[in-house]
Amino acid sequence: MDAQMLKGQVAIITGASYGMGQAMAEVFAQEGAAVVLTARGREKLDAVVEKIRAQGGRAIGVVADVTSEEDTKAVFETALREFGTVDILINNAGIGEQKMIDETDDDWVHQVTDINLVGPMRYIREALKIFMPKNEGVIINISSVNGTRPFCGAAYTATKGALNTLTKNVAMRLIDTDIRCNAVAPGATVTPAHLANRAGQQPGGAKMLEYSGHFVYFPGPECDPLDQAYACLYLASKMGRHVKGQVLQVCNGAFL
């Protein structure tokens, strides 16, 4: 009996050139899925693809920006051309920031919203063109504990709260189908973005944490990208076959 939980599946994973996206791609490939990875930079993306292929997995990288409708369509066209179908979509690409509301102008709001909220909407719309005719598919949105405990930047937290709501809305729309939509809400996870945040290097610096720090607890150990990948594997596989419209928080109990 083959133990691979995603054998024969095809997954699109956005923002997969490092961090959590890379871990998701590697785990899914190990579990038998063909993976289509996106990122805005070619060098790191190619390195992840080559690593997966060297381990016997099937992978292809597509340089794409989630804010581009043209790029989004190209990702799905590539997946269909290379692997014949799409079964799983993981909306992982996003931007973190720490700008306080009084430092947040309209241009910044539009930029963060286009990446963190409108981007997933674009990908879900394209995925449903494939999922709905076959009445099967999995959508996983990568949210954040900030969706319910908004201690980072005003625009970032607003988009993650909205992404949680979008997840439930899409699940309601698809309730009479075999298409599942859920979200994973990571807590503090050791990635380059998280380390930059802790160092005050994200847009907005660390000023917001002076206020929100009263409500934030970072216990040890922090999560590993694999922890978030395993949560996605649960939702994407038969283990999560009756889970719909849920936001699964993976935070080592730090944000209860």
Side-chain angles (χ1 to χ4, degrees):
M1 180 177 178
D2 198 316
Q4 290 181 312
M5 287 185 279
L6 300 177
K7 186 175 178 61
Q9 302 286 292
V10 178
I12 290 175
I13 305 171
T14 67
S17 62
Y18 65 93
M20 292 186 294
Q22 178 179 351
M24 294 165 194
E26 292 176 356
V27 167
F28 275 43
Q30 289 164 7
E31 291 297 332
V35 290
V36 180
L37 317 182
T38 82
R40 289 182 295 180
R42 167 66 68 185
E43 185 175 354
K44 290 182 179 179
L45 183 64
D46 285 349
V48 177
V49 168
E50 289 306 314
K51 180 180 179 182
I52 292 172
R53 289 177 176 174
Q55 295 173 345
R58 294 181 297 160
I60 188 170
V62 183
V63 175
D65 187 331
V66 296
T67 67
S68 166
E69 186 173 0
E70 181 179 341
D71 284 4
T72 301
K73 291 180 182 297
V75 170
F76 282 85
E77 290 169 357
T78 301
L80 292 174
R81 182 175 64 252
E82 294 293 326
F83 300 121
T85 191
V86 177
D87 303 288
I88 301 162
L89 166 65
I90 302 183
N91 283 311
N92 173 68
I95 181 173
E97 53 98 31
Q98 283 282 5
K99 290 191 178 185
M100 300 179 293
I101 183 61
D102 40 314
E103 295 179 339
T104 302
D105 59 29
D106 287 358
D107 287 343
W108 183 248
V109 171
H110 294 155
Q111 180 180 342
V112 175
T113 301
D114 203 10
I115 296 170
N116 288 359
L117 181 61
V118 184
M121 285 184 166
R122 290 187 183 96
Y123 272 76
I124 291 170
R125 288 198 308 260
E126 288 301 312
L128 290 180
K129 293 176 183 178
I130 300 169
F131 293 171
M132 293 186 76
K134 63 180 181 177
N135 190 36
E136 188 176 26
V138 172
I139 300 163
I140 302 173
N141 296 318
I142 304 305
S143 180
S144 168
V145 292
N146 277 268
T148 54
R149 199 167 201 179
F151 57 88
C152 287
Y156 176 79
T157 60
T159 59
K160 292 304 183 179
L163 189 59
N164 290 350
T165 300
L166 175 65
T167 298
K168 292 182 179 292
N169 177 264
V170 173
M172 289 178 182
R173 162 66 181 89
L174 301 169
I175 201 64
D176 59 350
T177 74
D178 289 329
I179 306 168
R180 308 193 307 277
C181 181
N182 294 285
V184 170
T189 303
V190 183
T191 65
H194 171 65
L195 295 176
N197 181 50
R198 292 293 300 272
Q201 296 171 350
Q202 286 195 338
K207 189 70 175 177
M208 182 62 195
L209 287 175
E210 294 181 18
Y211 303 97
S212 63
H214 300 288
F215 310 99
V216 180
Y217 174 49
F218 294 106
E222 295 174 323
C223 295
D224 186 89
L226 273 175
D227 297 315
Q228 312 304 335
Y230 290 149
C232 290
L233 178 61
Y234 162 71
L235 292 173
S237 70
K238 290 182 178 180
M239 292 187 293
R241 63 184 181 179
H242 286 159
V243 182
K244 294 184 176 182
Q246 300 303 303
V247 180
L248 177 56
Q249 186 165 300
V250 182
C251 69
N252 198 28
F255 301 96
L256 299 178

